[in-house]
Amino acid sequence: MSQLNKDGLAKALILLGFVLLLFSLIITDQLTLYVHPRIITLIELSDGLLFMMFLLQCWNLKKTWNNSTDEPKQCDRYWRYLPFVFTLLIALILPNTSLNASLVNNKGLNNQIITEISKKDYRPLAPELRKTNLIKVSDNNFIEVMSELYHFPQEYVGKEIDMKGFIFKDASTPQDHFSLIRFVVGCCVADALPSGVLCEINNAAEYTNGSWYQIQGIIETSEHEGKLVPVVKVTWIKPITANTTPYVFP
Amino acid sequence: MEIFDLNTWQVILNFKTIFLGIIIEALPFILISVIVSSVLHNFVSEELIQRVLPKDKMSSIVLSCLFGMIFPACDCGMVPIVRRLVKKGVPLYCAVAFMLSAPIINPVVATATAFAFNSIGIAAARLGIAFLIAYITSALVSEVFTGTELKDVQSTHDHNHDHDHDCCCVCHSHTEHKITLREKFLNVLDDACSEFFEMGKYLIIGSFLGAVAQTFIPRASLLTVGHEPFLSIIVMMFFAFSISVCSTADAFIASSFNTSFTTGALVAFMVFGPMIDIKNILMLSHAFRLRFVVFLVVIVSLLCAMGTYLFINI
């Protein structure tokens, strides 16, 4: 009697699940919610490979269907597939989102973070920033601008700045202030680091953690735990929808 | 969504993002690894490997340590290759040297580290200490273990049985009848698939634990010990073990701790993480005997702690 090979079927279904998961993330451009763009090609190749494995499993299944010789597998081995099924379920049930503000607490908003990445005498942006009066912060220059601001805040006092990010406040944030934050992702979201500047605004309490804003303001400095740090005095603020690529990729 | 308050819901979403992020990021590397392992299995003979390896033990260890230079591998996918190499008759100590050094001593990681700290010195320290640890550990392994230390033959038998079961007409007597390239290709894919399922579950469990550590260990709690020279090294090694990030990206994390931790602790973080982390331990203990895994973890931990401690005190 022909007997469906259950083990092979489980493998084929799981492979199909992963193929579809990756495929849907690729066509909806949502991979950058999870990994750095430079890995995307590798993921696409992986998806192709998984699809080939799936086809092979189906082919094997068909063969065993036609001339089945083996007994049904013992059931105690199915726990092996639980982790895969669990992953697929999690991916299916919970929506794809970017990291949100509640993680900032956990990662620790250490505003020194990015500054230490670049050495102090490596200042590619300094000449350009000195000339301009309005510093426009984009995804491409985010890290360099933050590095400049934190190392040499006094050089930029009085200049205007325009940047986007989400709001973060906690118990240590001074009154009438919030931080405007971006996550910097080096490889995948596991290594995301929050980074941003402190902003001063009268009605700071009205802004909720995690909502995205574009701000313009004047750069000032203030003394924070013995160090001179930049503070942006907000002159203009507008709610925006979160970026399609919510992270900054160095 | 009414059952959770907003904050719990956000924590759950972050957990999902990190969990899937680690898996998606590691997936290409584990696939490359199982394919390489499978190609080795189907195309490279034991005799060839024996011919290529130097006869002298110490020079073969050094060679294995530097092999990562031309074969950059991510630590996520080392174990399947290493297990295959040992099955193919590569001495255990060479495989260990390769496994410990390749994720660190390669051009990609060297560049990433130098860039993250903007310091050649830190990158050199990382690679140098990694080389010493890999060399000494392999030398010790070569003294202590003579066998392959692979899990009993039962499991390899099991694997073959599984394989036969999956496709009953592709038999394992490759050598007896001439098989076409197409069949070989299908064999590669099929073996890779079996190994993907075998190793993938440990990868997933490891990613799960890593995501739990990321979501629930507040980093501020690490900072309290940042400047204690020895304790900070231990804490950073434990942190590296638990968060399971890729060796090309961990330099950025380490540099974010730059102001609050000693350099020794940061180097320890960057050396220990790629060598030993949750994912690797799970896969290793699936492939190798427990006593070997314990030996490896203890030796690498001791060497890493001592090496980085000496480094900051010189």
Side-chain angles (χ1 to χ4, degrees):
Chain A
M1 186 195 127
S2 94
Q3 172 88 43
L4 190 61
N5 174 353
K6 287 201 189 112
D7 194 65
L9 182 68
K11 280 184 181 172
L13 286 178
I14 287 168
L15 285 172
L16 182 65
F18 274 93
V19 169
L20 291 179
L21 170 66
L22 290 184
F23 188 69
S24 67
L25 288 176
I26 290 168
I27 55 164
T28 53
D29 279 333
Q30 285 182 317
L31 272 179
T32 47
L33 292 175
Y34 297 101
V35 293
H36 192 286
R38 79 180 126 85
I39 307 178
I40 288 181
T41 324
L42 273 180
I43 309 258
E44 287 167 356
L45 289 175
S46 308
D47 200 26
L49 196 62
L50 287 173
F51 186 62
M52 275 157 57
M53 287 181 174
F54 166 69
L55 290 182
L56 185 69
Q57 283 296 329
C58 289
W59 191 51
N60 290 339
L61 267 182
K62 182 172 155 286
K63 274 193 314 200
T64 45
W65 179 270
N66 288 343
N67 53 357
S68 177
T69 49
D70 42 59
E71 288 97 70
K73 276 274 152 183
Q74 58 272 44
C75 289
D76 61 331
R77 300 180 68 187
Y78 287 113
W79 68 269
R80 311 186 285 171
Y81 298 120
L82 262 179
F84 298 96
V85 177
F86 174 77
T87 310
L88 288 173
L89 280 182
I90 290 247
L92 192 71
I93 293 171
L94 297 172
N96 293 318
T97 55
S98 62
L99 293 176
N100 55 52
S102 73
L103 197 70
V104 178
N105 259 328
N106 219 22
K107 296 245 182 193
L109 179 60
N110 177 355
N111 274 327
Q112 312 304 323
I113 282 172
I114 297 307
T115 65
E116 296 302 330
I117 287 182
S118 6
K119 205 168 148 192
K120 302 194 174 180
D121 45 347
Y122 176 69
R123 305 177 59 186
L125 276 185
E128 191 191 325
L129 292 182
R130 268 193 215 112
K131 265 184 277 166
T132 172
N133 273 324
L134 171 67
I135 301 173
K136 278 191 81 74
V137 184
S138 69
D139 284 8
N140 296 326
N141 67 8
F142 182 85
I143 293 171
E144 285 85 358
V145 172
M146 288 302 130
S147 162
E148 281 290 313
L149 284 185
Y150 277 93
H151 277 128
F152 311 98
Q154 63 287 358
E155 289 184 25
Y156 297 98
V157 171
K159 285 187 192 292
E160 262 199 288
I161 188 167
D162 174 307
M163 66 180 281
K164 296 173 185 173
F166 62 86
I167 307 283
F168 178 75
K169 285 175 293 185
D170 67 2
S172 71
T173 315
Q175 218 189 347
D176 291 337
H177 286 72
F178 59 67
S179 294
L180 201 67
I181 304 291
R182 297 291 302 268
F183 277 113
V184 178
V185 172
C187 195
C188 80
V189 284
D191 57 68
L193 294 167
S195 168
V197 288
L198 198 61
C199 302
E200 187 187 338
I201 189 164
N202 284 333
N203 47 356
E206 290 170 21
Y207 299 93
T208 49
N209 269 2
S211 28
W212 282 72
Y213 285 94
Q214 180 176 9
I215 62 151
Q216 283 180 2
I218 313 287
I219 299 170
E220 296 178 347
T221 56
S222 99
E223 184 96 352
H224 190 65
E225 287 165 10
K227 276 187 113 174
L228 206 58
V229 295
V231 176
V232 175
K233 199 169 169 65
V234 179
T235 51
W236 176 85
I237 183 164
K238 185 182 87 171
I240 52 172
T241 53
N243 275 14
T244 41
T245 51
Y247 315 125
V248 175
F249 298 107
Chain B
M1 246 144 283
E2 295 298 314
I3 34 173
F4 304 119
D5 64 76
L6 187 66
N7 201 33
T8 323
W9 179 243
Q10 293 210 319
V11 169
I12 292 173
L13 288 183
N14 280 337
F15 173 80
K16 182 226 170 173
T17 307
I18 295 177
F19 175 57
L20 266 195
I22 300 179
I23 290 181
I24 292 177
E25 201 262 345
L27 198 62
F29 297 100
I30 194 96
L31 282 172
I32 291 171
S33 175
V34 295
I35 290 283
V36 168
S37 155
S38 179
V39 167
L40 280 176
H41 177 53
N42 285 290
F43 287 92
V44 180
S45 69
E46 279 87 348
E47 295 79 39
L48 181 68
I49 290 178
Q50 293 301 335
R51 267 212 311 277
V52 172
L53 272 179
K55 292 286 163 285
D56 174 41
K57 192 194 275 181
M58 289 307 145
S59 53
S60 60
I61 293 183
V62 172
L63 201 71
S64 312
C65 281
L66 299 177
F67 195 58
M69 291 300 240
I70 51 167
F71 187 84
C74 177
D75 57 314
C76 317
M78 287 307 295
V79 179
I81 297 183
V82 166
R83 180 172 70 163
R84 180 67 68 200
L85 286 174
V86 174
K87 271 188 195 164
K88 281 273 163 187
V90 171
L92 184 64
Y93 50 87
C94 287
V96 166
F98 175 61
M99 177 176 76
L100 295 181
S101 60
I104 303 179
I105 307 181
N106 73 53
V108 185
V109 172
T111 326
T113 314
F115 176 74
F117 283 90
N118 214 322
S119 145
I120 304 286
I122 299 267
R126 180 182 189 184
L127 268 63
I129 290 175
F131 179 81
L132 284 179
I133 294 176
Y135 183 82
I136 298 172
T137 311
S138 316
L140 286 174
V141 164
S142 77
E143 294 299 322
V144 177
F145 299 103
T146 44
T148 63
E149 288 306 307
L150 288 170
K151 276 262 174 72
D152 45 358
V153 201
Q154 189 64 44
S155 74
T156 50
H157 189 77
D158 213 21
H159 173 72
N160 286 346
H161 177 74
D162 208 8
H163 182 104
D164 289 340
H165 167 81
D166 283 339
C167 47
C168 43
C169 40
V170 182
C171 41
H172 259 267
S173 50
H174 297 301
T175 43
E176 284 173 21
H177 68 285
K178 203 167 149 42
I179 41 175
T180 62
L181 200 64
R182 183 174 152 276
E183 274 180 82
K184 270 209 161 176
F185 175 75
L186 287 180
N187 281 349
V188 165
L189 202 59
D190 202 50
D191 289 342
C193 185
S194 305
E195 202 160 14
F196 170 70
F197 275 99
E198 198 186 340
M199 289 297 177
K201 58 179 180 286
Y202 298 102
L203 176 80
I204 292 174
I205 296 169
S207 311
F208 182 85
L209 295 175
V212 168
Q214 290 248 358
T215 328
F216 298 107
I217 301 181
R219 295 206 183 168
S221 66
L222 299 176
L223 301 181
T224 50
V225 296
H227 287 289
E228 308 230 0
F230 196 72
L231 196 58
S232 67
I233 289 177
I234 303 295
V235 167
M236 280 314 247
M237 278 167 54
F238 182 75
F239 185 56
F241 174 79
S242 62
I243 62 170
S244 296
V245 299
C246 186
S247 60
T248 50
D250 60 357
F252 290 95
I253 298 189
S255 67
S256 77
F257 284 107
N258 205 343
T259 45
S260 27
F261 272 90
T262 61
T263 317
L266 298 180
V267 174
F269 173 82
M270 293 190 296
V271 169
F272 193 69
M275 292 186 172
I276 311 269
D277 69 20
I278 293 184
K279 301 196 289 280
N280 286 1
I281 288 292
L282 289 171
M283 289 193 269
L284 263 182
S285 27
H286 173 72
F288 291 94
R289 289 201 192 123
L290 188 63
R291 60 174 190 184
F292 169 70
V293 179
V294 171
F295 178 85
L296 198 68
V297 174
V298 170
I299 295 294
V300 171
S301 314
L302 285 177
L303 286 175
C304 182
M306 282 179 345
T308 46
Y309 188 70
L310 284 177
F311 167 69
I312 43 172
N313 286 298
I314 291 172

